[in-house]
PDB file of all heavy atoms in Angstrom:
ATOM      1  N   TRP A 682      87.622-150.261 -76.397  1.00 98.00           N
ATOM      2  CA  TRP A 682      86.613-150.305 -77.464  1.00 98.00           C
ATOM      3  C   TRP A 682      85.546-151.349 -77.132  1.00 98.00           C
ATOM      4  O   TRP A 682      84.343-151.083 -77.260  1.00 98.00           O
ATOM      5  CB  TRP A 682      87.284-150.634 -78.793  1.00 98.00           C
ATOM      6  CG  TRP A 682      86.411-150.437 -80.000  1.00 98.00           C
ATOM      7  CD1 TRP A 682      86.394-149.366 -80.841  1.00 98.00           C
ATOM      8  CD2 TRP A 682      85.415-151.353 -80.500  1.00 98.00           C
ATOM      9  NE1 TRP A 682      85.454-149.541 -81.830  1.00 98.00           N
ATOM     10  CE2 TRP A 682      84.840-150.742 -81.642  1.00 98.00           C
ATOM     11  CE3 TRP A 682      84.946-152.596 -80.099  1.00 98.00           C
ATOM     12  CZ2 TRP A 682      83.826-151.359 -82.385  1.00 98.00           C
ATOM     13  CZ3 TRP A 682      83.931-153.211 -80.824  1.00 98.00           C
ATOM     14  CH2 TRP A 682      83.386-152.593 -81.955  1.00 98.00           C
ATOM     15  N   GLN A 683      85.988-152.524 -76.711  1.00 97.00           N
ATOM     16  CA  GLN A 683      85.053-153.605 -76.409  1.00 97.00           C
ATOM     17  C   GLN A 683      84.137-153.233 -75.255  1.00 97.00           C
ATOM     18  O   GLN A 683      82.926-153.488 -75.303  1.00 97.00           O
ATOM     19  CB  GLN A 683      85.841-154.879 -76.068  1.00 97.00           C
ATOM     20  CG  GLN A 683      84.963-156.092 -75.825  1.00 97.00           C
ATOM     21  CD  GLN A 683      85.763-157.289 -75.327  1.00 97.00           C
ATOM     22  OE1 GLN A 683      86.606-157.155 -74.441  1.00 97.00           O
ATOM     23  NE2 GLN A 683      85.499-158.453 -75.909  1.00 97.00           N
ATOM     24  N   TRP A 684      84.678-152.643 -74.211  1.00 98.00           N
ATOM     25  CA  TRP A 684      83.856-152.285 -73.047  1.00 98.00           C
ATOM     26  C   TRP A 684      82.807-151.242 -73.418  1.00 98.00           C
ATOM     27  O   TRP A 684      81.655-151.339 -72.991  1.00 98.00           O
ATOM     28  CB  TRP A 684      84.750-151.766 -71.924  1.00 98.00           C
ATOM     29  CG  TRP A 684      85.666-152.812 -71.346  1.00 98.00           C
ATOM     30  CD1 TRP A 684      85.530-154.160 -71.454  1.00 98.00           C
ATOM     31  CD2 TRP A 684      86.851-152.585 -70.586  1.00 98.00           C
ATOM     32  NE1 TRP A 684      86.575-154.804 -70.811  1.00 98.00           N
ATOM     33  CE2 TRP A 684      87.396-153.857 -70.263  1.00 98.00           C
ATOM     34  CE3 TRP A 684      87.517-151.455 -70.140  1.00 98.00           C
ATOM     35  CZ2 TRP A 684      88.569-153.997 -69.507  1.00 98.00           C
ATOM     36  CZ3 TRP A 684      88.682-151.588 -69.389  1.00 98.00           C
ATOM     37  CH2 TRP A 684      89.196-152.848 -69.074  1.00 98.00           C
ATOM     38  N   ILE A 685      83.207-150.248 -74.215  1.00 98.00           N
ATOM     39  CA  ILE A 685      82.250-149.218 -74.625  1.00 98.00           C
ATOM     40  C   ILE A 685      81.128-149.818 -75.460  1.00 98.00           C
ATOM     41  O   ILE A 685      79.938-149.558 -75.223  1.00 98.00           O
ATOM     42  CB  ILE A 685      82.972-148.102 -75.419  1.00 98.00           C
ATOM     43  CG1 ILE A 685      83.909-147.301 -74.505  1.00 98.00           C
ATOM     44  CG2 ILE A 685      81.961-147.164 -76.088  1.00 98.00           C
ATOM     45  CD1 ILE A 685      84.805-146.333 -75.249  1.00 98.00           C
ATOM     46  N   HIS A 686      81.484-150.641 -76.441  1.00 97.00           N
ATOM     47  CA  HIS A 686      80.495-151.132 -77.399  1.00 97.00           C
ATOM     48  C   HIS A 686      79.664-152.302 -76.884  1.00 97.00           C
ATOM     49  O   HIS A 686      78.703-152.712 -77.548  1.00 97.00           O
ATOM     50  CB  HIS A 686      81.186-151.505 -78.718  1.00 97.00           C
ATOM     51  CG  HIS A 686      81.613-150.303 -79.511  1.00 97.00           C
ATOM     52  ND1 HIS A 686      82.758-149.599 -79.223  1.00 97.00           N
ATOM     53  CD2 HIS A 686      81.029-149.667 -80.553  1.00 97.00           C
ATOM     54  CE1 HIS A 686      82.871-148.582 -80.066  1.00 97.00           C
ATOM     55  NE2 HIS A 686      81.835-148.597 -80.875  1.00 97.00           N
ATOM     56  N   ASN A 687      80.034-152.816 -75.710  1.00 96.00           N
ATOM     57  CA  ASN A 687      79.233-153.887 -75.119  1.00 96.00           C
ATOM     58  C   ASN A 687      78.515-153.437 -73.852  1.00 96.00           C
ATOM     59  O   ASN A 687      77.991-154.275 -73.108  1.00 96.00           O
ATOM     60  CB  ASN A 687      80.119-155.103 -74.823  1.00 96.00           C
ATOM     61  CG  ASN A 687      80.444-155.913 -76.076  1.00 96.00           C
ATOM     62  OD1 ASN A 687      79.687-156.791 -76.474  1.00 96.00           O
ATOM     63  ND2 ASN A 687      81.569-155.592 -76.703  1.00 96.00           N
ATOM     64  N   GLY A 688      78.474-152.116 -73.634  1.00 96.00           N
ATOM     65  CA  GLY A 688      77.715-151.596 -72.508  1.00 96.00           C
ATOM     66  C   GLY A 688      78.212-152.054 -71.155  1.00 96.00           C
ATOM     67  O   GLY A 688      77.416-152.237 -70.210  1.00 96.00           O
ATOM     68  N   VAL A 689      79.534-152.236 -71.026  1.00 97.00           N
ATOM     69  CA  VAL A 689      80.106-152.737 -69.771  1.00 97.00           C
ATOM     70  C   VAL A 689      80.034-151.665 -68.686  1.00 97.00           C
ATOM     71  O   VAL A 689      80.200-150.466 -68.956  1.00 97.00           O
ATOM     72  CB  VAL A 689      81.568-153.169 -70.004  1.00 97.00           C
ATOM     73  CG1 VAL A 689      82.294-153.433 -68.682  1.00 97.00           C
ATOM     74  CG2 VAL A 689      81.601-154.409 -70.887  1.00 97.00           C
ATOM     75  N   ARG A 690      79.793-152.113 -67.461  1.00 97.00           N
ATOM     76  CA  ARG A 690      79.839-151.231 -66.304  1.00 97.00           C
ATOM     77  C   ARG A 690      81.051-151.593 -65.441  1.00 97.00           C
ATOM     78  O   ARG A 690      81.404-152.771 -65.323  1.00 97.00           O
ATOM     79  CB  ARG A 690      78.561-151.342 -65.477  1.00 97.00           C
ATOM     80  CG  ARG A 690      77.338-150.748 -66.171  1.00 97.00           C
ATOM     81  CD  ARG A 690      76.096-150.853 -65.312  1.00 97.00           C
ATOM     82  NE  ARG A 690      74.955-150.227 -65.968  1.00 97.00           N
ATOM     83  CZ  ARG A 690      74.630-148.940 -65.808  1.00 97.00           C
ATOM     84  NH1 ARG A 690      75.348-148.169 -64.996  1.00 97.00           N
ATOM     85  NH2 ARG A 690      73.587-148.439 -66.447  1.00 97.00           N
ATOM     86  N   LEU A 691      81.669-150.570 -64.862  1.00 98.00           N
ATOM     87  CA  LEU A 691      82.756-150.809 -63.929  1.00 98.00           C
ATOM     88  C   LEU A 691      82.240-151.493 -62.675  1.00 98.00           C
ATOM     89  O   LEU A 691      81.025-151.541 -62.429  1.00 98.00           O
ATOM     90  CB  LEU A 691      83.436-149.481 -63.571  1.00 98.00           C
ATOM     91  CG  LEU A 691      84.019-148.672 -64.734  1.00 98.00           C
ATOM     92  CD1 LEU A 691      84.627-147.367 -64.226  1.00 98.00           C
ATOM     93  CD2 LEU A 691      85.066-149.484 -65.494  1.00 98.00           C
ATOM     94  N   SER A 692      83.147-151.995 -61.877  1.00 97.00           N
ATOM     95  CA  SER A 692      82.745-152.722 -60.673  1.00 97.00           C
ATOM     96  C   SER A 692      81.945-151.841 -59.712  1.00 97.00           C
ATOM     97  O   SER A 692      81.190-152.354 -58.876  1.00 97.00           O
ATOM     98  CB  SER A 692      83.979-153.274 -59.960  1.00 97.00           C
ATOM     99  OG  SER A 692      84.908-152.237 -59.677  1.00 97.00           O
ATOM    100  N   ASP A 693      82.078-150.492 -59.843  1.00 97.00           N
ATOM    101  CA  ASP A 693      81.290-149.594 -58.990  1.00 97.00           C
ATOM    102  C   ASP A 693      79.968-149.185 -59.633  1.00 97.00           C
ATOM    103  O   ASP A 693      79.243-148.338 -59.107  1.00 97.00           O
ATOM    104  CB  ASP A 693      82.108-148.352 -58.628  1.00 97.00           C
ATOM    105  CG  ASP A 693      82.473-147.504 -59.849  1.00 97.00           C
ATOM    106  OD1 ASP A 693      82.023-147.821 -60.961  1.00 97.00           O
ATOM    107  OD2 ASP A 693      83.241-146.534 -59.683  1.00 97.00           O
ATOM    108  N   GLY A 694      79.643-149.770 -60.789  1.00 98.00           N
ATOM    109  CA  GLY A 694      78.388-149.492 -61.460  1.00 98.00           C
ATOM    110  C   GLY A 694      78.446-148.421 -62.529  1.00 98.00           C
ATOM    111  O   GLY A 694      77.466-148.213 -63.256  1.00 98.00           O
ATOM    112  N   THR A 695      79.566-147.739 -62.674  1.00 98.00           N
ATOM    113  CA  THR A 695      79.701-146.671 -63.668  1.00 98.00           C
ATOM    114  C   THR A 695      79.767-147.263 -65.065  1.00 98.00           C
ATOM    115  O   THR A 695      80.591-148.153 -65.324  1.00 98.00           O
ATOM    116  CB  THR A 695      80.973-145.844 -63.418  1.00 98.00           C
ATOM    117  OG1 THR A 695      80.943-145.315 -62.090  1.00 98.00           O
ATOM    118  CG2 THR A 695      81.107-144.719 -64.428  1.00 98.00           C
ATOM    119  N   PRO A 696      78.935-146.810 -66.005  1.00 98.00           N
ATOM    120  CA  PRO A 696      79.026-147.321 -67.367  1.00 98.00           C
ATOM    121  C   PRO A 696      80.283-146.805 -68.060  1.00 98.00           C
ATOM    122  O   PRO A 696      80.687-145.646 -67.866  1.00 98.00           O
ATOM    123  CB  PRO A 696      77.764-146.779 -68.038  1.00 98.00           C
ATOM    124  CG  PRO A 696      77.374-145.588 -67.227  1.00 98.00           C
ATOM    125  CD  PRO A 696      77.819-145.858 -65.832  1.00 98.00           C
ATOM    126  N   VAL A 697      80.912-147.673 -68.853  1.00 98.00           N
ATOM    127  CA  VAL A 697      82.080-147.268 -69.632  1.00 98.00           C
ATOM    128  C   VAL A 697      81.582-146.636 -70.925  1.00 98.00           C
ATOM    129  O   VAL A 697      80.955-147.295 -71.753  1.00 98.00           O
ATOM    130  CB  VAL A 697      82.995-148.466 -69.945  1.00 98.00           C
ATOM    131  CG1 VAL A 697      84.206-147.996 -70.755  1.00 98.00           C
ATOM    132  CG2 VAL A 697      83.444-149.142 -68.657  1.00 98.00           C
ATOM    133  N   THR A 698      81.830-145.358 -71.069  1.00 98.00           N
ATOM    134  CA  THR A 698      81.395-144.613 -72.248  1.00 98.00           C
ATOM    135  C   THR A 698      82.579-143.880 -72.861  1.00 98.00           C
ATOM    136  O   THR A 698      83.617-143.701 -72.217  1.00 98.00           O
ATOM    137  CB  THR A 698      80.320-143.580 -71.878  1.00 98.00           C
ATOM    138  OG1 THR A 698      80.912-142.606 -71.000  1.00 98.00           O
ATOM    139  CG2 THR A 698      79.126-144.236 -71.191  1.00 98.00           C
ATOM    140  N   ALA A 699      82.385-143.436 -74.086  1.00 98.00           N
ATOM    141  CA  ALA A 699      83.432-142.656 -74.747  1.00 98.00           C
ATOM    142  C   ALA A 699      83.705-141.372 -73.974  1.00 98.00           C
ATOM    143  O   ALA A 699      84.870-140.950 -73.852  1.00 98.00           O
ATOM    144  CB  ALA A 699      83.027-142.346 -76.187  1.00 98.00           C
ATOM    145  N   ASP A 700      82.672-140.759 -73.432  1.00 98.00           N
ATOM    146  CA  ASP A 700      82.867-139.528 -72.671  1.00 98.00           C
ATOM    147  C   ASP A 700      83.702-139.782 -71.416  1.00 98.00           C
ATOM    148  O   ASP A 700      84.567-138.970 -71.056  1.00 98.00           O
ATOM    149  CB  ASP A 700      81.523-138.921 -72.278  1.00 98.00           C
ATOM    150  CG  ASP A 700      80.797-138.271 -73.457  1.00 98.00           C
ATOM    151  OD1 ASP A 700      81.468-138.010 -74.481  1.00 98.00           O
ATOM    152  OD2 ASP A 700      79.581-138.054 -73.358  1.00 98.00           O
ATOM    153  N   LEU A 701      83.437-140.893 -70.741  1.00 98.00           N
ATOM    154  CA  LEU A 701      84.233-141.233 -69.556  1.00 98.00           C
ATOM    155  C   LEU A 701      85.698-141.439 -69.934  1.00 98.00           C
ATOM    156  O   LEU A 701      86.605-140.947 -69.251  1.00 98.00           O
ATOM    157  CB  LEU A 701      83.675-142.486 -68.887  1.00 98.00           C
ATOM    158  CG  LEU A 701      84.496-143.043 -67.710  1.00 98.00           C
ATOM    159  CD1 LEU A 701      84.554-142.037 -66.563  1.00 98.00           C
ATOM    160  CD2 LEU A 701      83.923-144.384 -67.236  1.00 98.00           C
ATOM    161  N   VAL A 702      85.927-142.166 -71.020  1.00 98.00           N
ATOM    162  CA  VAL A 702      87.298-142.439 -71.445  1.00 98.00           C
ATOM    163  C   VAL A 702      87.993-141.143 -71.847  1.00 98.00           C
ATOM    164  O   VAL A 702      89.177-140.928 -71.536  1.00 98.00           O
ATOM    165  CB  VAL A 702      87.304-143.453 -72.603  1.00 98.00           C
ATOM    166  CG1 VAL A 702      88.713-143.625 -73.166  1.00 98.00           C
ATOM    167  CG2 VAL A 702      86.764-144.802 -72.124  1.00 98.00           C
ATOM    168  N   ARG A 703      87.284-140.258 -72.526  1.00 98.00           N
ATOM    169  CA  ARG A 703      87.875-138.962 -72.882  1.00 98.00           C
ATOM    170  C   ARG A 703      88.281-138.185 -71.622  1.00 98.00           C
ATOM    171  O   ARG A 703      89.372-137.595 -71.576  1.00 98.00           O
ATOM    172  CB  ARG A 703      86.879-138.134 -73.699  1.00 98.00           C
ATOM    173  CG  ARG A 703      86.702-138.590 -75.132  1.00 98.00           C
ATOM    174  CD  ARG A 703      85.663-137.724 -75.843  1.00 98.00           C
ATOM    175  NE  ARG A 703      85.369-138.213 -77.173  1.00 98.00           N
ATOM    176  CZ  ARG A 703      86.077-137.915 -78.260  1.00 98.00           C
ATOM    177  NH1 ARG A 703      87.120-137.103 -78.148  1.00 98.00           N
ATOM    178  NH2 ARG A 703      85.736-138.403 -79.439  1.00 98.00           N
ATOM    179  N   ALA A 704      87.436-138.191 -70.626  1.00 98.00           N
ATOM    180  CA  ALA A 704      87.759-137.479 -69.389  1.00 98.00           C
ATOM    181  C   ALA A 704      88.989-138.077 -68.714  1.00 98.00           C
ATOM    182  O   ALA A 704      89.870-137.348 -68.222  1.00 98.00           O
ATOM    183  CB  ALA A 704      86.558-137.512 -68.436  1.00 98.00           C
ATOM    184  N   ILE A 705      89.061-139.403 -68.693  1.00 98.00           N
ATOM    185  CA  ILE A 705      90.228-140.066 -68.104  1.00 98.00           C
ATOM    186  C   ILE A 705      91.482-139.734 -68.913  1.00 98.00           C
ATOM    187  O   ILE A 705      92.546-139.450 -68.350  1.00 98.00           O
ATOM    188  CB  ILE A 705      90.000-141.579 -68.040  1.00 98.00           C
ATOM    189  CG1 ILE A 705      88.897-141.915 -67.038  1.00 98.00           C
ATOM    190  CG2 ILE A 705      91.293-142.314 -67.679  1.00 98.00           C
ATOM    191  CD1 ILE A 705      88.463-143.370 -67.059  1.00 98.00           C
ATOM    192  N   GLY A 706      91.359-139.755 -70.236  1.00 97.00           N
ATOM    193  CA  GLY A 706      92.494-139.447 -71.083  1.00 97.00           C
ATOM    194  C   GLY A 706      92.984-138.027 -70.911  1.00 97.00           C
ATOM    195  O   GLY A 706      94.197-137.772 -70.847  1.00 97.00           O
ATOM    196  N   GLU A 707      92.063-137.084 -70.810  1.00 97.00           N
ATOM    197  CA  GLU A 707      92.452-135.689 -70.630  1.00 97.00           C
ATOM    198  C   GLU A 707      93.114-135.481 -69.270  1.00 97.00           C
ATOM    199  O   GLU A 707      94.084-134.712 -69.151  1.00 97.00           O
ATOM    200  CB  GLU A 707      91.222-134.798 -70.790  1.00 97.00           C
ATOM    201  CG  GLU A 707      90.736-134.728 -72.240  1.00 97.00           C
ATOM    202  CD  GLU A 707      89.336-134.160 -72.375  1.00 97.00           C
ATOM    203  OE1 GLU A 707      88.719-133.855 -71.321  1.00 97.00           O
ATOM    204  OE2 GLU A 707      88.853-134.038 -73.520  1.00 97.00           O
ATOM    205  N   ALA A 708      92.637-136.191 -68.243  1.00 97.00           N
ATOM    206  CA  ALA A 708      93.272-136.108 -66.932  1.00 97.00           C
ATOM    207  C   ALA A 708      94.672-136.714 -66.961  1.00 97.00           C
ATOM    208  O   ALA A 708      95.614-136.190 -66.332  1.00 97.00           O
ATOM    209  CB  ALA A 708      92.406-136.824 -65.890  1.00 97.00           C
ATOM    210  N   GLU A 709      94.830-137.820 -67.693  1.00 96.00           N
ATOM    211  CA  GLU A 709      96.148-138.440 -67.823  1.00 96.00           C
ATOM    212  C   GLU A 709      97.112-137.512 -68.549  1.00 96.00           C
ATOM    213  O   GLU A 709      98.273-137.356 -68.137  1.00 96.00           O
ATOM    214  CB  GLU A 709      96.021-139.770 -68.564  1.00 96.00           C
ATOM    215  CG  GLU A 709      97.339-140.499 -68.787  1.00 96.00           C
ATOM    216  CD  GLU A 709      97.978-141.008 -67.509  1.00 96.00           C
ATOM    217  OE1 GLU A 709      97.265-141.144 -66.493  1.00 96.00           O
ATOM    218  OE2 GLU A 709      99.194-141.272 -67.522  1.00 96.00           O
ATOM    219  N   LEU A 710      96.648-136.868 -69.611  1.00 97.00           N
ATOM    220  CA  LEU A 710      97.500-135.923 -70.330  1.00 97.00           C
ATOM    221  C   LEU A 710      97.898-134.752 -69.435  1.00 97.00           C
ATOM    222  O   LEU A 710      99.051-134.290 -69.474  1.00 97.00           O
ATOM    223  CB  LEU A 710      96.776-135.414 -71.573  1.00 97.00           C
ATOM    224  CG  LEU A 710      96.674-136.374 -72.758  1.00 97.00           C
ATOM    225  CD1 LEU A 710      95.768-135.795 -73.829  1.00 97.00           C
ATOM    226  CD2 LEU A 710      98.064-136.672 -73.336  1.00 97.00           C
ATOM    227  N   ALA A 711      96.973-134.261 -68.626  1.00 96.00           N
ATOM    228  CA  ALA A 711      97.291-133.165 -67.714  1.00 96.00           C
ATOM    229  C   ALA A 711      98.340-133.593 -66.690  1.00 96.00           C
ATOM    230  O   ALA A 711      99.255-132.822 -66.358  1.00 96.00           O
ATOM    231  CB  ALA A 711      96.020-132.688 -67.003  1.00 96.00           C
ATOM    232  N   ALA A 712      98.219-134.824 -66.193  1.00 95.00           N
ATOM    233  CA  ALA A 712      99.202-135.327 -65.228  1.00 95.00           C
ATOM    234  C   ALA A 712     100.573-135.479 -65.875  1.00 95.00           C
ATOM    235  O   ALA A 712     101.601-135.150 -65.265  1.00 95.00           O
ATOM    236  CB  ALA A 712      98.725-136.664 -64.661  1.00 95.00           C
ATOM    237  N   ILE A 713     100.597-135.966 -67.103  1.00 95.00           N
ATOM    238  CA  ILE A 713     101.871-136.113 -67.816  1.00 95.00           C
ATOM    239  C   ILE A 713     102.498-134.742 -68.040  1.00 95.00           C
ATOM    240  O   ILE A 713     103.708-134.552 -67.835  1.00 95.00           O
ATOM    241  CB  ILE A 713     101.661-136.836 -69.158  1.00 95.00           C
ATOM    242  CG1 ILE A 713     101.222-138.284 -68.920  1.00 95.00           C
ATOM    243  CG2 ILE A 713     102.945-136.810 -69.998  1.00 95.00           C
ATOM    244  CD1 ILE A 713     100.754-138.997 -70.176  1.00 95.00           C
ATOM    245  N   ARG A 714     101.678-133.780 -68.437  1.00 95.00           N
ATOM    246  CA  ARG A 714     102.215-132.438 -68.688  1.00 95.00           C
ATOM    247  C   ARG A 714     102.770-131.833 -67.399  1.00 95.00           C
ATOM    248  O   ARG A 714     103.797-131.132 -67.421  1.00 95.00           O
ATOM    249  CB  ARG A 714     101.131-131.539 -69.272  1.00 95.00           C
ATOM    250  CG  ARG A 714     101.655-130.169 -69.682  1.00 95.00           C
ATOM    251  CD  ARG A 714     100.734-129.460 -70.619  1.00 95.00           C
ATOM    252  NE  ARG A 714     101.364-128.286 -71.199  1.00 95.00           N
ATOM    253  CZ  ARG A 714     100.858-127.560 -72.179  1.00 95.00           C
ATOM    254  NH1 ARG A 714      99.684-127.906 -72.704  1.00 95.00           N
ATOM    255  NH2 ARG A 714     101.490-126.501 -72.649  1.00 95.00           N
ATOM    256  N   ALA A 715     102.119-132.099 -66.278  1.00 96.00           N
ATOM    257  CA  ALA A 715     102.578-131.542 -65.004  1.00 96.00           C
ATOM    258  C   ALA A 715     103.932-132.101 -64.586  1.00 96.00           C
ATOM    259  O   ALA A 715     104.704-131.422 -63.894  1.00 96.00           O
ATOM    260  CB  ALA A 715     101.536-131.812 -63.920  1.00 96.00           C
ATOM    261  N   GLU A 716     104.217-133.323 -65.000  1.00 94.00           N
ATOM    262  CA  GLU A 716     105.488-133.945 -64.614  1.00 94.00           C
ATOM    263  C   GLU A 716     106.570-133.786 -65.687  1.00 94.00           C
ATOM    264  O   GLU A 716     107.657-134.331 -65.560  1.00 94.00           O
ATOM    265  CB  GLU A 716     105.273-135.437 -64.324  1.00 94.00           C
ATOM    266  CG  GLU A 716     104.915-136.255 -65.553  1.00 94.00           C
ATOM    267  CD  GLU A 716     104.500-137.686 -65.272  1.00 94.00           C
ATOM    268  OE1 GLU A 716     103.930-137.939 -64.192  1.00 94.00           O
ATOM    269  OE2 GLU A 716     104.742-138.555 -66.121  1.00 94.00           O
ATOM    270  N   THR A 717     106.258-133.024 -66.737  1.00 94.00           N
ATOM    271  CA  THR A 717     107.157-132.878 -67.879  1.00 94.00           C
ATOM    272  C   THR A 717     107.591-131.424 -68.020  1.00 94.00           C
ATOM    273  O   THR A 717     106.780-130.508 -67.836  1.00 94.00           O
ATOM    274  CB  THR A 717     106.445-133.323 -69.178  1.00 94.00           C
ATOM    275  OG1 THR A 717     105.948-134.644 -69.003  1.00 94.00           O
ATOM    276  CG2 THR A 717     107.392-133.296 -70.369  1.00 94.00           C
ATOM    277  N   THR A 718     108.850-131.199 -68.341  1.00 95.00           N
ATOM    278  CA  THR A 718     109.316-129.830 -68.570  1.00 95.00           C
ATOM    279  C   THR A 718     108.664-129.268 -69.825  1.00 95.00           C
ATOM    280  O   THR A 718     108.235-130.015 -70.712  1.00 95.00           O
ATOM    281  CB  THR A 718     110.839-129.789 -68.731  1.00 95.00           C
ATOM    282  OG1 THR A 718     111.201-130.483 -69.938  1.00 95.00           O
ATOM    283  CG2 THR A 718     111.549-130.426 -67.543  1.00 95.00           C
ATOM    284  N   SER A 719     108.604-127.961 -69.917  1.00 92.00           N
ATOM    285  CA  SER A 719     108.000-127.315 -71.087  1.00 92.00           C
ATOM    286  C   SER A 719     108.729-127.719 -72.360  1.00 92.00           C
ATOM    287  O   SER A 719     108.098-127.966 -73.404  1.00 92.00           O
ATOM    288  CB  SER A 719     108.037-125.796 -70.917  1.00 92.00           C
ATOM    289  OG  SER A 719     107.242-125.404 -69.818  1.00 92.00           O
ATOM    290  N   GLU A 720     110.042-127.804 -72.274  1.00 94.00           N
ATOM    291  CA  GLU A 720     110.840-128.166 -73.447  1.00 94.00           C
ATOM    292  C   GLU A 720     110.521-129.581 -73.911  1.00 94.00           C
ATOM    293  O   GLU A 720     110.324-129.833 -75.101  1.00 94.00           O
ATOM    294  CB  GLU A 720     112.327-128.036 -73.134  1.00 94.00           C
ATOM    295  CG  GLU A 720     113.242-128.330 -74.304  1.00 94.00           C
ATOM    296  CD  GLU A 720     114.708-128.172 -73.949  1.00 94.00           C
ATOM    297  OE1 GLU A 720     115.017-127.827 -72.780  1.00 94.00           O
ATOM    298  OE2 GLU A 720     115.559-128.392 -74.843  1.00 94.00           O
ATOM    299  N   ASP A 721     110.457-130.499 -72.932  1.00 94.00           N
ATOM    300  CA  ASP A 721     110.163-131.890 -73.284  1.00 94.00           C
ATOM    301  C   ASP A 721     108.733-132.045 -73.796  1.00 94.00           C
ATOM    302  O   ASP A 721     108.470-132.843 -74.708  1.00 94.00           O
ATOM    303  CB  ASP A 721     110.385-132.807 -72.081  1.00 94.00           C
ATOM    304  CG  ASP A 721     111.860-132.993 -71.760  1.00 94.00           C
ATOM    305  OD1 ASP A 721     112.697-132.661 -72.628  1.00 94.00           O
ATOM    306  OD2 ASP A 721     112.175-133.450 -70.642  1.00 94.00           O
ATOM    307  N   TRP A 722     107.800-131.297 -73.202  1.00 95.00           N
ATOM    308  CA  TRP A 722     106.416-131.385 -73.660  1.00 95.00           C
ATOM    309  C   TRP A 722     106.291-130.902 -75.101  1.00 95.00           C
ATOM    310  O   TRP A 722     105.609-131.514 -75.922  1.00 95.00           O
ATOM    311  CB  TRP A 722     105.501-130.586 -72.746  1.00 95.00           C
ATOM    312  CG  TRP A 722     104.065-130.624 -73.182  1.00 95.00           C
ATOM    313  CD1 TRP A 722     103.394-129.685 -73.902  1.00 95.00           C
ATOM    314  CD2 TRP A 722     103.137-131.690 -72.960  1.00 95.00           C
ATOM    315  NE1 TRP A 722     102.097-130.087 -74.132  1.00 95.00           N
ATOM    316  CE2 TRP A 722     101.906-131.319 -73.567  1.00 95.00           C
ATOM    317  CE3 TRP A 722     103.207-132.908 -72.303  1.00 95.00           C
ATOM    318  CZ2 TRP A 722     100.785-132.128 -73.529  1.00 95.00           C
ATOM    319  CZ3 TRP A 722     102.083-133.726 -72.262  1.00 95.00           C
ATOM    320  CH2 TRP A 722     100.897-133.329 -72.867  1.00 95.00           C
TER     321      TRP A 722
END
């Protein structure tokens, strides 16, 4: 929250935005689902 609302940039220059965080979160969820059985998911 702090990084988004203070206009922080990552060390590679990428701005931290809500859209970036959403993309990272969706990728993390996809990775978790891939390592999880259908029953457990």
Side-chain angles (χ1 to χ4, degrees):
W682 192 99
Q683 184 187 45
W684 293 341
I685 292 171
H686 287 80
N687 283 274
V689 169
R690 290 181 177 270
L691 302 179
S692 55
D693 63 5
T695 303
V697 180
T698 64
D700 286 343
L701 174 63
V702 173
R703 286 178 186 275
I705 292 171
E707 289 165 358
E709 179 67 20
L710 285 172
I713 294 170
R714 185 162 191 171
E716 68 189 31
T717 306
T718 66
S719 296
E720 183 179 0
D721 288 345
W722 179 262

